[in-house]
Structure formats: structure tokens, C-alpha cells
Amino acid sequence: MTDLCPAVRTVADLRAHVKAWRADGLKVGLVPTMGALHHGHLSLVEAIAEKVDRVVVSIFVNPTQFGEGEDFDAYPRTEETDRTKLAGTPASLVFAPNGAEMYPAGFASNISVSGISDRFEGAARPGHFDGVATVVTKLLLQCLPDVAIFGEKDYQQLAVIRRFATDLDIPVEIMAGTLIRENDGLAASSRNAYLNPQEREIAGQFNVILKQLVSDAEKGMALRKTEAKATDALLAAGFKAVDYVSIVDADTLEPLETLSGPARVLAVARIGSVRLLDNMAIGA
Ligand code: AMP
């Protein structure tokens, strides 16, 4: 029989585990996920385990962060495989609630973060960050971890989470996990599985083109010019559309005219029906 990481499905059971660990003086970490775990997710488990004694991985495909016509129904649900993968990591417990546990009848609250969630993914996916902020707030309050980790893969999401955790005085350290890539540099993502072999090959050009943008920007090319050059290169490589390629302040995500401190390029390009996200540090 293969080992499975133990799982609980209710907030009460999760809290009972956390309470027992705390009684033993142990530090607790939380890794929120939607499952379909890949090496990017597992790297978050390894990274947070260096800071805490017990790691909880939540697996919940959160309906409220998917828009009309997005892939909520098609999103891969692979809990048993996920728990098998986690059995080989420092994870102690999976928290896998169902929809009714997270959103019982009568649920009527919403966490909305203005400013930092307005542009980019917030503009492309109305309501997405409200869904993320609300579910992550709930997960943080359900588990009350010392540390919670989120991947730089979803760079704007990380910034939104940092914002509301600070604004709402949630007593948790928000940790950033490095963006993990496949061998050809494509950012690891559950949605890469939607790509056919030809699309997958084109997708491998995304990070190559962004690396060129970073190099151009660091050499002093005008930032708008680097963005336009990268957009043209993506379309020439076979991407169907480019939603945005934007150089922003690494903390506020405000678009920059010139480089004066830590910056980041945020980009989304589409192949077929798949939106691929990537980002890279500039001048780090
Ligand atoms: P998801 O299951 O897609 O909601 O992702 C759960 C967490 O894993 C989020 O904090 C993501 O940013 C993070 N994550 C997803 N892919 C990667 C990756 N390639 N590298 C690092 N973190 C990732």
C-alpha cells in the first residue's frame, strides 16, 4: 500500500491538530493550494518546513476565484495522488474541506483589496482576487499558522495577500516561495497539462523572451520599448495573444517609466485557450 499524507476535512479537526501541536510548543506552517500538486507546490512545502515544525497543506479548488466560463469544472482534482506526493515531503497534514465546509448556507462575506488588485490579473479576471483574498483569509483564520507560504509564480496574488494580511492585522508571517520552472524554463503550472505537444513547445519560449527583456531593460533600453519588443517576440513565437507584458515596481506593482529600485516584469500570454503567467525580477 502506498503511503498517504493524513487528511482532515473539517475546520474543527484541523483546529484540534493545530491545538495539540501548539500545546507541544511546535510552530505551524500553512501551504494553501488547489491541489494537482507539482514540484512548484512541493518546493513550498520544503521551504516552509525550514521555518516551522509542522506543515499543513490545504487542498481546495475555490469556486469563488473562478470567473464565468473559466475552468472550475475542468480543474484537475487528484487528491489521492497529491497525498501520495506529500507523503514523501515534510507535510504533516492535508486540510481538504468540501464546498459546504468552506461556504456554508448563508455565507455572505467578502474580502476585497483595492489598488494592488485592480490591474493585470484583477482586470483580466473580475472578482478573482476577491475570491482569493476571501478564501485565504478563511484558511489563515481556520489554521492560525505562524507562517504561510505563497509562490512568486503568482506574483500579484502574493502582493495582494501581503496587503490584506497587513491591513487586517492577521498574525501570520507571509513567506514568498521561489518560482519553480520546468527543464526548458516554463513556469510549472497545473494548467500546463492543457497544452498539446506543439503548444507546449511554443510555451517554452515564454521565459526565454522574458529573460531577453530583463537583459534589455538592465542594459538601459527604454522600458516601453522592451515591453513592445517582448510582445512582438511572443506573437512571432506562436502565442495567440499577449494580455500584458509590464515592468512594475516590485512592491507596489505600479508600472515604471525608469528603473530606480527593485522591479519585476509581469506577463501573461495565451496559447489556444490557456493563459500562461510568468514574471521575473529586474535589477535584483
Ligand atoms: P495553486 O494550487 O495554483 O493555487 O497554487 C498554490 C500555491 O502554489 C500558490 O501560492 C502558487 O503561487 C504556488 N505555485 C504554483 N506554481 C508554482 C511554481 N511554479 N513555483 C512556485 N510556486 C508555485
Side-chain angles (χ1 to χ4, degrees):
M1 206 185 79
T2 359
D3 278 349
L4 287 181
C5 183
V8 292
R9 301 191 185 277
T10 66
V11 176
D13 284 345
L14 170 66
R15 287 194 170 139
H17 278 81
V18 173
K19 190 173 171 190
W21 292 331
R22 292 220 177 282
D24 288 340
L26 301 175
K27 277 185 86 174
V28 179
L30 175 66
V31 186
T33 81
M34 297 204 299
L37 302 182
H38 50 67
H39 57 134
H41 299 112
L42 300 182
S43 77
L44 302 181
V45 176
E46 299 289 343
I48 200 170
E50 298 198 356
K51 290 205 156 204
V52 299
D53 307 296
R54 293 289 181 271
V55 178
V56 177
V57 177
S58 63
I59 297 181
F60 180 62
V61 184
N62 175 36
T64 68
Q65 70 189 70
F66 288 79
E68 215 42 50
E70 289 187 1
D71 57 344
F72 175 69
D73 291 328
Y75 200 86
R77 287 159 174 86
T78 58
E79 187 187 307
E80 186 149 330
T81 317
D82 292 344
R83 287 173 58 197
T84 305
K85 289 182 182 168
L86 290 170
T89 74
S92 302
L93 188 69
V94 164
F95 174 49
N98 64 20
E101 182 70 8
M102 289 302 267
Y103 300 112
F107 186 90
S109 299
N110 184 48
I111 304 291
S112 191
V113 185
S114 53
I116 206 151
S117 46
D118 293 347
R119 285 199 188 92
F120 310 120
E121 288 311 276
R125 305 178 66 189
H128 171 67
F129 283 127
D130 281 18
V132 170
T134 304
V135 79
V136 172
T137 300
K138 283 175 68 67
L139 290 165
L140 293 175
L141 295 176
Q142 289 162 345
C143 182
L144 287 176
D146 298 280
V147 185
I149 189 166
F150 301 87
E152 287 185 336
K153 158 80 177 16
D154 300 285
Y155 195 83
Q156 188 181 13
Q157 169 174 284
L158 172 63
V160 168
I161 290 167
R162 284 194 194 285
R163 185 71 262 158
F164 74 72
T166 301
D167 291 350
L168 302 179
D169 303 303
I170 301 180
V172 60
E173 177 190 338
I174 303 297
M175 185 178 169
T178 315
L179 197 168
I180 302 298
R181 297 179 180 279
E182 305 295 353
N183 286 338
D184 64 351
L186 176 65
S189 167
S190 321
R191 290 186 171 111
N192 293 348
Y194 298 153
L195 299 170
N196 69 32
Q198 194 200 349
E199 293 167 339
R200 175 64 190 79
E201 202 174 319
I202 295 168
Q205 285 306 302
F206 201 178
N207 77 99
V208 177
I209 291 166
L210 290 186
K211 270 193 210 149
Q212 182 62 49
L213 173 149
V214 170
S215 153
D216 289 343
E218 289 177 348
K219 281 188 197 137
M221 187 188 283
L223 301 188
R224 291 297 86 77
K225 208 166 156 192
T226 66
E227 294 165 355
K229 182 180 164 191
T231 302
D232 289 348
L234 286 164
L235 295 172
F239 284 82
K240 193 178 86 178
V242 178
D243 285 11
Y244 53 86
V245 174
S246 259
I247 299 177
V248 300
D249 178 279
D251 297 319
T252 64
L253 309 196
E254 288 295 325
L256 292 174
E257 292 304 323
T258 53
L259 293 182
S260 54
R264 201 96 190 173
V265 55
L266 306 181
V268 169
R270 280 185 267 164
I271 309 183
S273 58
V274 187
R275 292 179 81 241
L276 295 177
L277 278 77
D278 205 334
N279 68 83
M280 277 180 203
I282 303 177

